[in-house]
Amino acid sequence: MWIDYAARQALSSVGAFVRAPRLKFAANASSLSFPQEGDTVVSLTTHGDRMSASVASIASLLMGTELLPVFLWLDRVDFESEWPEGLRGLVDRGLQVRCSDGAFGPHTKYFGTFAQFAGTDTRVITVDDDMMYPRWFAQKLLNASDADPGLIVAYRAHEITFRGDQLDLYRRWKAVYTTAPSHRHFATGVSGVAYPPSMVEYVARQGTGFIGHAPKADDVWLNACALRSNHMVRQVFPHPREFSIVPGSQRTALVRGNLGGGGNDVQIAATYTHEDVARLLRAD
């Protein structure tokens, strides 16, 4: 899985080096702006040196065919620091920056937004701060979500596999090649995921329960919550989609650590209970 991911990203790297500077320029020069309210919002986080990379990522959403409110959550140390010029330009174009209530690591991507919008019938799309999304990103994701409003919809998912009656190693899970929903489909946040209001509310009620189980793996916690709250996952397309990485980001090293280094397996084992695994075994 790791080798395939790295190879696909290498193929798209040339286009990424061309697109990234244009997006950073658009952050300051565009006449477009993000809406401030809506029944669907986008949520992400960034930190430290990654704040500069996030400019291209957020600007790619500004260039989209469907503009949505975007919330960027920062830990206090970053919120009170000097922001990159491009990020300030995006604030002028409607980006809403919020200070996190705590240091939640990757969970900061969704935690504050889920808490804010729980119970308001708001759908939340999560994205990563080092990916450049295509112009049709939000539009096609919303179309798929509207077709199945009770499901979690992702551009990229894995099929959870087993060794006997136990979960197999994460790196052996299979790519999903269908739009059919399943509890065995594991949404990966890197390419973007849309969560229905009922999932937003359920996760918000769990508070910071992830800290003792999957503190560095938001995908693991969110997919476990999906299973326990009876939300199935489906892909937008019959095949997974992966978008370009912002050049200079640390995505490759992070994927190697969580995947090749076994970081996901440790947190999966700490999160999924015997009851969770039994339910997955019974699922189609």
Side-chain angles (χ1 to χ4, degrees), residues 36-43 68-71 96 113 117 122-126 193:
Q36 297 300 288
E37 297 179 342
D39 58 9
T40 302
V41 302
V42 178
S43 186
L68 302 170
V70 178
F71 291 83
Q96 300 179 63
T113 299
F117 289 101
T122 301
R123 176 172 46 188
V124 178
I125 294 173
T126 61
V193 182

PDB file of all heavy atoms in Angstrom, residues 36-43 68-71 96 113 117 122-126 193:
ATOM      1  N   GLN A  36     -19.836  32.718   4.486  1.00  0.00           N
ATOM      2  CA  GLN A  36     -19.673  32.650   5.934  1.00  0.00           C
ATOM      3  C   GLN A  36     -20.621  31.655   6.598  1.00  0.00           C
ATOM      4  O   GLN A  36     -20.377  31.236   7.728  1.00  0.00           O
ATOM      5  CB  GLN A  36     -19.870  34.040   6.542  1.00  0.00           C
ATOM      6  CG  GLN A  36     -18.832  35.053   6.074  1.00  0.00           C
ATOM      7  CD  GLN A  36     -17.414  34.621   6.434  1.00  0.00           C
ATOM      8  OE1 GLN A  36     -17.024  34.650   7.600  1.00  0.00           O
ATOM      9  NE2 GLN A  36     -16.636  34.201   5.433  1.00  0.00           N
ATOM     10  N   GLU A  37     -21.677  31.279   5.919  1.00  0.00           N
ATOM     11  CA  GLU A  37     -22.651  30.347   6.489  1.00  0.00           C
ATOM     12  C   GLU A  37     -23.117  29.379   5.422  1.00  0.00           C
ATOM     13  O   GLU A  37     -23.012  29.648   4.219  1.00  0.00           O
ATOM     14  CB  GLU A  37     -23.861  31.106   7.054  1.00  0.00           C
ATOM     15  CG  GLU A  37     -23.537  32.041   8.200  1.00  0.00           C
ATOM     16  CD  GLU A  37     -24.772  32.774   8.701  1.00  0.00           C
ATOM     17  OE1 GLU A  37     -25.785  32.813   7.961  1.00  0.00           O
ATOM     18  OE2 GLU A  37     -24.733  33.303   9.823  1.00  0.00           O
ATOM     19  N   GLY A  38     -23.658  28.241   5.858  1.00  0.00           N
ATOM     20  CA  GLY A  38     -24.199  27.262   4.935  1.00  0.00           C
ATOM     21  C   GLY A  38     -24.549  25.978   5.655  1.00  0.00           C
ATOM     22  O   GLY A  38     -24.151  25.776   6.811  1.00  0.00           O
ATOM     23  N   ASP A  39     -25.286  25.111   4.980  1.00  0.00           N
ATOM     24  CA  ASP A  39     -25.660  23.843   5.615  1.00  0.00           C
ATOM     25  C   ASP A  39     -24.572  22.789   5.487  1.00  0.00           C
ATOM     26  O   ASP A  39     -24.688  21.689   6.014  1.00  0.00           O
ATOM     27  CB  ASP A  39     -26.986  23.319   5.060  1.00  0.00           C
ATOM     28  CG  ASP A  39     -26.960  23.103   3.554  1.00  0.00           C
ATOM     29  OD1 ASP A  39     -25.868  23.196   2.945  1.00  0.00           O
ATOM     30  OD2 ASP A  39     -28.031  22.852   2.982  1.00  0.00           O
ATOM     31  N   THR A  40     -23.475  23.124   4.777  1.00  0.00           N
ATOM     32  CA  THR A  40     -22.277  22.297   4.707  1.00  0.00           C
ATOM     33  C   THR A  40     -21.069  23.195   4.904  1.00  0.00           C
ATOM     34  O   THR A  40     -20.983  24.265   4.298  1.00  0.00           O
ATOM     35  CB  THR A  40     -22.154  21.578   3.354  1.00  0.00           C
ATOM     36  OG1 THR A  40     -23.303  20.770   3.134  1.00  0.00           O
ATOM     37  CG2 THR A  40     -20.905  20.700   3.312  1.00  0.00           C
ATOM     38  N   VAL A  41     -20.141  22.770   5.761  1.00  0.00           N
ATOM     39  CA  VAL A  41     -18.923  23.538   5.986  1.00  0.00           C
ATOM     40  C   VAL A  41     -17.713  22.630   5.830  1.00  0.00           C
ATOM     41  O   VAL A  41     -17.824  21.401   5.917  1.00  0.00           O
ATOM     42  CB  VAL A  41     -18.911  24.197   7.385  1.00  0.00           C
ATOM     43  CG1 VAL A  41     -20.120  25.105   7.559  1.00  0.00           C
ATOM     44  CG2 VAL A  41     -18.862  23.149   8.496  1.00  0.00           C
ATOM     45  N   VAL A  42     -16.564  23.251   5.594  1.00  0.00           N
ATOM     46  CA  VAL A  42     -15.300  22.530   5.446  1.00  0.00           C
ATOM     47  C   VAL A  42     -14.444  22.813   6.671  1.00  0.00           C
ATOM     48  O   VAL A  42     -14.409  23.943   7.173  1.00  0.00           O
ATOM     49  CB  VAL A  42     -14.555  22.970   4.175  1.00  0.00           C
ATOM     50  CG1 VAL A  42     -13.212  22.243   4.055  1.00  0.00           C
ATOM     51  CG2 VAL A  42     -15.405  22.708   2.936  1.00  0.00           C
ATOM     52  N   SER A  43     -13.746  21.794   7.146  1.00  0.00           N
ATOM     53  CA  SER A  43     -12.933  21.930   8.356  1.00  0.00           C
ATOM     54  C   SER A  43     -11.551  21.320   8.145  1.00  0.00           C
ATOM     55  O   SER A  43     -11.420  20.248   7.538  1.00  0.00           O
ATOM     56  CB  SER A  43     -13.633  21.246   9.532  1.00  0.00           C
ATOM     57  OG  SER A  43     -12.945  21.469  10.752  1.00  0.00           O
ATOM     58  N   LEU A  68     -17.781  26.822  -0.208  1.00  0.00           N
ATOM     59  CA  LEU A  68     -18.396  26.532   1.083  1.00  0.00           C
ATOM     60  C   LEU A  68     -17.664  27.303   2.176  1.00  0.00           C
ATOM     61  O   LEU A  68     -16.504  27.681   2.009  1.00  0.00           O
ATOM     62  CB  LEU A  68     -18.312  25.031   1.386  1.00  0.00           C
ATOM     63  CG  LEU A  68     -18.953  24.081   0.375  1.00  0.00           C
ATOM     64  CD1 LEU A  68     -18.558  22.642   0.694  1.00  0.00           C
ATOM     65  CD2 LEU A  68     -20.461  24.230   0.377  1.00  0.00           C
ATOM     66  N   PRO A  69     -18.308  27.528   3.330  1.00  0.00           N
ATOM     67  CA  PRO A  69     -17.580  28.110   4.462  1.00  0.00           C
ATOM     68  C   PRO A  69     -16.430  27.193   4.865  1.00  0.00           C
ATOM     69  O   PRO A  69     -16.593  25.971   4.914  1.00  0.00           O
ATOM     70  CB  PRO A  69     -18.644  28.190   5.564  1.00  0.00           C
ATOM     71  CG  PRO A  69     -19.959  28.148   4.843  1.00  0.00           C
ATOM     72  CD  PRO A  69     -19.729  27.282   3.639  1.00  0.00           C
ATOM     73  N   VAL A  70     -15.277  27.770   5.151  1.00  0.00           N
ATOM     74  CA  VAL A  70     -14.099  26.994   5.529  1.00  0.00           C
ATOM     75  C   VAL A  70     -13.597  27.459   6.888  1.00  0.00           C
ATOM     76  O   VAL A  70     -13.378  28.658   7.103  1.00  0.00           O
ATOM     77  CB  VAL A  70     -12.974  27.118   4.476  1.00  0.00           C
ATOM     78  CG1 VAL A  70     -11.737  26.339   4.930  1.00  0.00           C
ATOM     79  CG2 VAL A  70     -13.444  26.607   3.120  1.00  0.00           C
ATOM     80  N   PHE A  71     -13.409  26.495   7.798  1.00  0.00           N
ATOM     81  CA  PHE A  71     -12.915  26.766   9.148  1.00  0.00           C
ATOM     82  C   PHE A  71     -11.537  26.122   9.319  1.00  0.00           C
ATOM     83  O   PHE A  71     -11.380  24.921   9.119  1.00  0.00           O
ATOM     84  CB  PHE A  71     -13.871  26.204  10.200  1.00  0.00           C
ATOM     85  CG  PHE A  71     -15.183  26.923  10.270  1.00  0.00           C
ATOM     86  CD1 PHE A  71     -16.210  26.604   9.386  1.00  0.00           C
ATOM     87  CD2 PHE A  71     -15.392  27.936  11.195  1.00  0.00           C
ATOM     88  CE1 PHE A  71     -17.430  27.269   9.435  1.00  0.00           C
ATOM     89  CE2 PHE A  71     -16.600  28.610  11.258  1.00  0.00           C
ATOM     90  CZ  PHE A  71     -17.628  28.278  10.375  1.00  0.00           C
ATOM     91  N   GLN A  96     -12.296  31.373   7.897  1.00  0.00           N
ATOM     92  CA  GLN A  96     -12.578  31.591   9.308  1.00  0.00           C
ATOM     93  C   GLN A  96     -11.578  30.785  10.144  1.00  0.00           C
ATOM     94  O   GLN A  96     -11.604  29.557  10.126  1.00  0.00           O
ATOM     95  CB  GLN A  96     -14.015  31.179   9.615  1.00  0.00           C
ATOM     96  CG  GLN A  96     -15.036  31.984   8.790  1.00  0.00           C
ATOM     97  CD  GLN A  96     -16.463  31.580   9.051  1.00  0.00           C
ATOM     98  OE1 GLN A  96     -16.965  31.721  10.173  1.00  0.00           O
ATOM     99  NE2 GLN A  96     -17.146  31.071   8.025  1.00  0.00           N
ATOM    100  N   THR A 113     -15.015  22.015  14.941  1.00  0.00           N
ATOM    101  CA  THR A 113     -16.146  22.204  14.028  1.00  0.00           C
ATOM    102  C   THR A 113     -17.292  21.279  14.380  1.00  0.00           C
ATOM    103  O   THR A 113     -18.463  21.687  14.378  1.00  0.00           O
ATOM    104  CB  THR A 113     -15.694  21.971  12.575  1.00  0.00           C
ATOM    105  OG1 THR A 113     -14.667  22.918  12.251  1.00  0.00           O
ATOM    106  CG2 THR A 113     -16.855  22.170  11.610  1.00  0.00           C
ATOM    107  N   PHE A 117     -21.024  22.669  15.501  1.00  0.00           N
ATOM    108  CA  PHE A 117     -22.201  22.472  14.659  1.00  0.00           C
ATOM    109  C   PHE A 117     -23.053  21.267  15.049  1.00  0.00           C
ATOM    110  O   PHE A 117     -24.069  20.992  14.389  1.00  0.00           O
ATOM    111  CB  PHE A 117     -21.773  22.353  13.196  1.00  0.00           C
ATOM    112  CG  PHE A 117     -21.303  23.659  12.613  1.00  0.00           C
ATOM    113  CD1 PHE A 117     -19.950  23.935  12.482  1.00  0.00           C
ATOM    114  CD2 PHE A 117     -22.214  24.629  12.240  1.00  0.00           C
ATOM    115  CE1 PHE A 117     -19.515  25.139  11.964  1.00  0.00           C
ATOM    116  CE2 PHE A 117     -21.793  25.844  11.712  1.00  0.00           C
ATOM    117  CZ  PHE A 117     -20.438  26.104  11.581  1.00  0.00           C
ATOM    118  N   THR A 122     -25.967  20.363  10.294  1.00  0.00           N
ATOM    119  CA  THR A 122     -24.905  20.802   9.393  1.00  0.00           C
ATOM    120  C   THR A 122     -24.017  19.626   9.013  1.00  0.00           C
ATOM    121  O   THR A 122     -23.578  18.860   9.864  1.00  0.00           O
ATOM    122  CB  THR A 122     -24.044  21.892  10.054  1.00  0.00           C
ATOM    123  OG1 THR A 122     -24.870  22.999  10.394  1.00  0.00           O
ATOM    124  CG2 THR A 122     -22.937  22.368   9.125  1.00  0.00           C
ATOM    125  N   ARG A 123     -23.765  19.499   7.730  1.00  0.00           N
ATOM    126  CA  ARG A 123     -22.832  18.492   7.212  1.00  0.00           C
ATOM    127  C   ARG A 123     -21.419  19.086   7.235  1.00  0.00           C
ATOM    128  O   ARG A 123     -21.234  20.265   6.935  1.00  0.00           O
ATOM    129  CB  ARG A 123     -23.244  18.120   5.795  1.00  0.00           C
ATOM    130  CG  ARG A 123     -22.349  17.158   5.054  1.00  0.00           C
ATOM    131  CD  ARG A 123     -22.997  16.734   3.728  1.00  0.00           C
ATOM    132  NE  ARG A 123     -23.540  17.867   2.987  1.00  0.00           N
ATOM    133  CZ  ARG A 123     -24.281  17.743   1.876  1.00  0.00           C
ATOM    134  NH1 ARG A 123     -24.571  16.559   1.392  1.00  0.00           N
ATOM    135  NH2 ARG A 123     -24.731  18.822   1.253  1.00  0.00           N
ATOM    136  N   VAL A 124     -20.438  18.261   7.573  1.00  0.00           N
ATOM    137  CA  VAL A 124     -19.056  18.738   7.655  1.00  0.00           C
ATOM    138  C   VAL A 124     -18.161  17.928   6.723  1.00  0.00           C
ATOM    139  O   VAL A 124     -18.184  16.695   6.741  1.00  0.00           O
ATOM    140  CB  VAL A 124     -18.507  18.657   9.097  1.00  0.00           C
ATOM    141  CG1 VAL A 124     -17.050  19.109   9.131  1.00  0.00           C
ATOM    142  CG2 VAL A 124     -19.342  19.505  10.045  1.00  0.00           C
ATOM    143  N   ILE A 125     -17.387  18.640   5.921  1.00  0.00           N
ATOM    144  CA  ILE A 125     -16.372  18.025   5.065  1.00  0.00           C
ATOM    145  C   ILE A 125     -15.009  18.295   5.686  1.00  0.00           C
ATOM    146  O   ILE A 125     -14.681  19.443   6.005  1.00  0.00           O
ATOM    147  CB  ILE A 125     -16.414  18.614   3.639  1.00  0.00           C
ATOM    148  CG1 ILE A 125     -17.724  18.244   2.948  1.00  0.00           C
ATOM    149  CG2 ILE A 125     -15.218  18.142   2.821  1.00  0.00           C
ATOM    150  CD1 ILE A 125     -17.915  18.936   1.602  1.00  0.00           C
ATOM    151  N   THR A 126     -14.230  17.249   5.888  1.00  0.00           N
ATOM    152  CA  THR A 126     -12.872  17.433   6.384  1.00  0.00           C
ATOM    153  C   THR A 126     -11.873  17.287   5.241  1.00  0.00           C
ATOM    154  O   THR A 126     -12.058  16.473   4.334  1.00  0.00           O
ATOM    155  CB  THR A 126     -12.527  16.419   7.488  1.00  0.00           C
ATOM    156  OG1 THR A 126     -12.617  15.088   6.964  1.00  0.00           O
ATOM    157  CG2 THR A 126     -13.469  16.579   8.679  1.00  0.00           C
ATOM    158  N   VAL A 193     -13.527  13.906   3.145  1.00  0.00           N
ATOM    159  CA  VAL A 193     -14.643  13.087   3.599  1.00  0.00           C
ATOM    160  C   VAL A 193     -15.803  13.996   4.007  1.00  0.00           C
ATOM    161  O   VAL A 193     -15.591  15.016   4.663  1.00  0.00           O
ATOM    162  CB  VAL A 193     -14.250  12.215   4.817  1.00  0.00           C
ATOM    163  CG1 VAL A 193     -15.416  11.323   5.235  1.00  0.00           C
ATOM    164  CG2 VAL A 193     -13.019  11.372   4.516  1.00  0.00           C
TER     165      VAL A 193
END
